[in-house]
């Protein structure tokens, strides 16, 4: 049984916590690895290493930090296939999907290599007699990332490249369900020349999370996960004096207007709803066709495509949708199908029991593509995040009621509209109460030089991830006012200077 330990000071750190849990292959239901779970002592060691490394790293020139990240980027490309295989083995997503995840993460690394420009500040000459003023952005210190299972490469790379580019040191607490990717990333950072202690990893559960949230040397915390945990991370971190950005859950809607290209919308829905088995915070889980005619056409075209999904292990190159991450999560998603039936939604396609069809993989955590029609706002399958391959269709008679449906939801992460009408699209983009919007784009994940973040129950804190928002989150501003007297002298002043 392979043991996965922590990474502290650029080397594997063997924990004495005595706690570990299995890491499962979701395609087979088998385990050949265990991840060691940190205790408070392990967390203290990681934070201590980061705190010790911070002064020297913060004193590196931004250009020197950028060059290390640039070498890291090259190493990521050189090892992208190996990274994708590890992701597929522990998460279950297809190889191509894993490659796409890594590519989006690398884009943030590329953005971070521009840090010499991104940290440039303002300078005002002669704001008063012989007085100049300027500001600078300086690093915070030790910062922490707590990341989910569904993107073991991309989500950490939303955080640590910008954080360390800005001069901070970093402690990552990845998901204990798929921990190996982060260890490969740590080794690549070492190969790129990152000094000891700048990037550290502690694996673990709530014990490790609480130790990080309450540690006095931790200055900021970034989190991606469910809304209840995001709220807990935000409140606990803030109570302990941390700066916090915590991204929570989602229930992303796609409105399909009567003038939309219906085949384009259907193909977009298939990928956006069932890709990665629906385990994406930007997955489309609710389709909102406007008028019954559009809804009927949508269901008619969707049903055969969902039935035809090639479901299997990532090792099969023909696979379009892999298993869910754990047996427990598969059962939770399956329970929502039970709930949808009980609430009166029309079950067009039922994915329960699909694993029984998987010859040789009957013990894997598979669920077939599921499709509900006639879902209403009173139903739990509309209200709650399911995080699986379950698409709900909510029919609406007109554009206004469709927009109202989206705006009244507690989550506001992403949304999309499919239409040929520019006026409708512009109105939607301006007035929808959601953080990320797609127009004929089903999964509107921003590029690295923009920022990722939702509204309402999907984000706690004032800053979104990566882009300029990320730079602002991982730095604090300092304003300096200088006066050079040039031989002038003044009497003492006892009022606030006005320059």
């Amino acid at each position: 049984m392979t043991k996965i330990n922590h990474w502290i000071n650029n080397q594997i750190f063997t924990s004495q916590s005595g706690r570990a849990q299995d890491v499962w292959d979701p395609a087979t239901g088998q385990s050949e690895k265990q991840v060691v779970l940190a205790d408070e002592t392990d967390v203290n060691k990681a934070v201590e290493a980061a705190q010790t490394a911070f002064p020297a790293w913060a004193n590196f020139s931004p250009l020197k930090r950028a060059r290390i990240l640039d070498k890291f980027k090259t190493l990521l490309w050189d090892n992208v296939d190996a990274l994708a295989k590890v992701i597929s083995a522990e998460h279950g997503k297809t190889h191509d999907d894993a490659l796409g995840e890594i590519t989006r993460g690398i884009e943030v690394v590329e953005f971070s290599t521009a840090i010499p420009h991104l940290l440039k500040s303002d300078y005002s000459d002669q704001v008063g007699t012989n007085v100049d003023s300027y500001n600078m952005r300086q690093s915070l210190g030790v910062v922490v990332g707590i990341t989910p299972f569904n993107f073991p490469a991309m989500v950490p790379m939303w955080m640590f490249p910008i954080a360390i580019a800005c001069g901070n040191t970093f402690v990552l607490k990845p998901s204990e369900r798929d921990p190996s990717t982060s260890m490969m990333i740590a080794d690549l950072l070492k190969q790129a020349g990152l000094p000891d202690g700048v990037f550290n990893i502690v694996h673990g559960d709530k014990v490790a999370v609480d130790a990080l949230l309450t540690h006095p040397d931790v200055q900021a915390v970034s989190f991606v996960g469910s809304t209840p945990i995001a709220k807990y991370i935000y409140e606990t971190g803030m109570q302990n004096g941390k700066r916090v950005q915590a991204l929570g859950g989602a229930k992303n809607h796609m409105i399909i207007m009567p003038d939309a290209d219906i085949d384009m919308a259907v193909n977009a829905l298939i990928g956006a709803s069932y890709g990665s088995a629906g385990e994406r915070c930007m997955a489309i889980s609710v389709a909102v066709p406007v008028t019954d005619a559009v809804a009927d056409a949508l269901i008619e075209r969707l049903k055969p495509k969902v039935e035809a999904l090639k479901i299997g292990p990532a090792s099969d190159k023909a696979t379009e949708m892999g298993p869910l991450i754990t047996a427990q999560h598969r059962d939770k998603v399956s329970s929502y199908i039970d709930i949808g039936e009980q609430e009166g939604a029309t079950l067009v396609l039922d994915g329960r029991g699909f694993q029984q069809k998987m010859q040789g993989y009957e013990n894997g955590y598979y669920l077939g593509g599921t499709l509900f029609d006639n879902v209403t706002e009173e139903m739990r399958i509309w209200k709650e995040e399911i995080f699986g391959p379950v698409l709900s269709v909510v029919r609406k008679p007109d554009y206004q009621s469709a927009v109202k449906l989206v705006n009244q939801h507690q989550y506001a992460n992403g949304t999309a509209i499919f239409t040929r009408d520019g006026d409708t699209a512009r109105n939607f983009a301006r007035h929808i109460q959601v953080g990320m919007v797609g127009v004929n784009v089903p999964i509107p994940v921003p590029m690295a030089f923009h920022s990722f973040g939702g509204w309402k129950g999907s984000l706690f804190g004032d800053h979104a991830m990566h882009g300029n928002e990320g730079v602002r989150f991982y730095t604090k501003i300092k304003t300096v006012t200088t006066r050079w007297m040039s031989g002038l002298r003044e009497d003492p002043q006892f009022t606030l200077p006005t320059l």
Side-chain angles (χ1 to χ4, degrees):
M1 180 75 71
T2 302
K3 280 282 181 74
I4 302 169
N5 256 292
H6 313 305
W7 181 271
I8 299 174
N9 263 332
N10 263 347
Q11 60 185 346
I12 292 172
F13 176 83
T14 302
S15 171
Q16 301 301 317
S17 71
R19 299 192 308 134
Q21 73 175 47
D22 288 335
V23 178
W24 302 93
D25 179 347
T28 64
Q30 303 299 311
S31 173
E32 296 179 353
K33 303 175 186 175
Q34 281 193 329
V35 60
V36 176
L37 304 178
D39 58 15
E40 189 172 344
T41 299
D42 299 327
V43 170
N44 290 342
K45 287 283 187 184
V47 175
E48 180 184 7
Q51 181 74 0
T52 300
F54 171 65
W57 179 246
N59 203 41
F60 270 44
S61 71
L63 183 58
K64 190 172 181 180
R65 297 195 294 258
R67 285 172 177 162
I68 292 173
L69 284 166
D70 190 58
K71 187 172 182 181
F72 172 60
K73 177 196 70 176
T74 300
L75 289 168
L76 285 169
W77 282 124
D78 291 344
N79 291 274
V80 67
D81 196 62
L83 282 163
K85 287 179 180 177
V86 169
I87 292 171
S88 294
E90 292 185 354
H91 175 274
K93 67 177 64 176
T94 67
H95 190 73
D96 285 347
D97 194 16
L99 288 173
E101 168 188 347
I102 299 164
T103 300
R104 295 308 302 265
I106 291 174
E107 290 167 2
V108 182
V109 180
E110 290 174 325
F111 171 78
S112 301
T113 62
I115 201 64
H117 171 74
L118 296 169
L119 290 179
K120 282 164 54 177
S121 61
D122 300 321
Y123 188 100
S124 296
D125 173 63
Q126 200 71 355
V127 296
T129 305
N130 298 321
V131 177
D132 305 325
S133 187
Y134 64 94
N135 60 48
M136 61 180 79
R137 287 201 165 270
Q138 294 187 313
S139 47
L140 305 176
V142 180
V143 300
V144 166
I146 302 169
T147 57
F149 70 82
N150 58 328
F151 288 103
M154 183 183 74
V155 172
M157 284 195 278
W158 282 357
M159 302 173 184
F160 75 80
I162 297 176
I164 64 177
C166 290
N168 302 285
T169 52
F170 200 90
V171 179
L172 174 65
K173 207 300 288 182
S175 172
E176 64 276 18
R177 297 178 186 177
D178 45 8
S180 297
T181 303
S182 60
M183 298 297 283
M184 291 184 68
I185 286 172
D187 186 64
L188 295 179
L189 283 165
K190 180 179 181 178
Q191 292 180 44
L194 194 70
D196 294 354
V198 176
F199 180 82
N200 308 274
I201 299 171
V202 287
H203 302 288
D205 49 15
K206 190 174 184 294
V207 173
V209 169
D210 286 344
L212 289 166
L213 290 175
T214 57
H215 198 294
D217 290 334
V218 171
Q219 304 301 316
V221 178
S222 301
F223 172 81
V224 175
S226 68
T227 288
I229 305 302
K231 186 178 181 183
Y232 173 79
I233 296 287
Y234 178 74
E235 291 176 348
T236 307
M238 292 292 287
Q239 288 166 6
N240 284 275
K242 320 300 182 197
R243 181 181 291 189
V244 184
Q245 54 178 183
L247 276 62
K251 196 73 176 180
N252 307 315
H253 299 69
M254 180 198 287
I255 295 176
I256 302 101
M257 295 298 293
D259 67 339
D261 183 325
I262 194 70
D263 290 322
M264 178 183 178
V266 166
N267 287 333
L269 271 173
I270 288 292
S273 303
Y274 301 103
S276 198
E279 294 174 323
R280 294 171 175 160
C281 65
M282 288 294 282
I284 295 294
S285 53
V286 182
V288 190
V290 174
T291 73
D292 283 334
V294 174
D296 291 342
L298 186 74
I299 294 292
E300 181 183 358
R301 288 168 171 79
L302 264 177
K303 183 180 178 182
K305 287 184 176 291
V306 179
E307 288 176 315
L309 281 171
K310 295 180 176 65
I311 301 172
S315 57
D316 184 346
K317 292 183 179 180
T319 294
E320 296 172 324
M321 188 178 92
L324 279 78
I325 185 72
T326 63
Q328 292 78 12
H329 186 58
R330 178 203 59 205
D331 294 345
K332 179 183 176 182
V333 174
S334 182
S335 74
Y336 273 106
I337 304 174
D338 300 339
I339 291 167
E341 274 194 306
Q342 294 162 11
E343 292 179 323
T346 303
L347 184 56
V348 179
L349 289 172
D350 185 354
R352 290 170 296 189
F354 186 86
Q355 72 271 17
Q356 303 306 320
K357 304 176 184 178
M358 299 295 297
Q359 291 187 356
Y361 293 93
E362 293 89 351
N363 295 322
Y365 312 138
Y366 296 96
L367 195 67
T370 298
L371 179 62
F372 278 108
D373 194 7
N374 299 305
V375 176
T376 66
E377 296 96 310
E378 294 76 30
M379 297 179 181
R380 285 181 60 191
I381 60 170
W382 176 75
K383 294 177 181 178
E384 299 175 16
E385 183 179 37
I386 298 175
F387 218 63
V390 179
L391 177 62
S392 297
V393 176
V394 181
R395 297 171 177 237
K396 287 297 174 183
D398 51 47
Y399 169 76
Q400 289 77 15
S401 59
V403 168
K404 182 180 178 182
L405 175 79
V406 179
N407 282 344
Q408 74 188 45
H409 204 281
Q410 62 172 324
Y411 297 135
N413 205 47
T415 189
I417 188 169
F418 273 62
T419 180
R420 289 186 173 98
D421 186 271
D423 184 56
T424 300
R426 185 175 186 274
N427 181 280
F428 181 78
R430 285 184 54 80
H431 296 291
I432 205 72
Q433 301 298 302
V434 178
M436 291 170 284
V437 180
V439 176
N440 299 320
V441 174
I443 308 178
V445 177
M447 295 295 291
F449 38 85
H450 290 284
S451 297
F452 183 106
W455 290 8
K456 297 193 285 191
S458 296
L459 173 65
F460 297 85
D462 296 327
H463 295 282
M465 298 277 179
H466 61 68
N468 288 328
E469 282 281 281
V471 175
R472 284 190 282 270
F473 179 76
Y474 288 119
T475 57
K476 53 192 173 187
I477 195 165
K478 179 185 288 181
T479 303
V480 182
T481 304
T482 66
R483 169 178 281 174
W484 302 103
M485 299 305 293
S486 300
L488 298 175
R489 293 292 180 267
E490 291 183 347
D491 293 330
Q493 295 184 19
F494 298 97
T495 61
L496 187 68
T498 57
L499 304 180

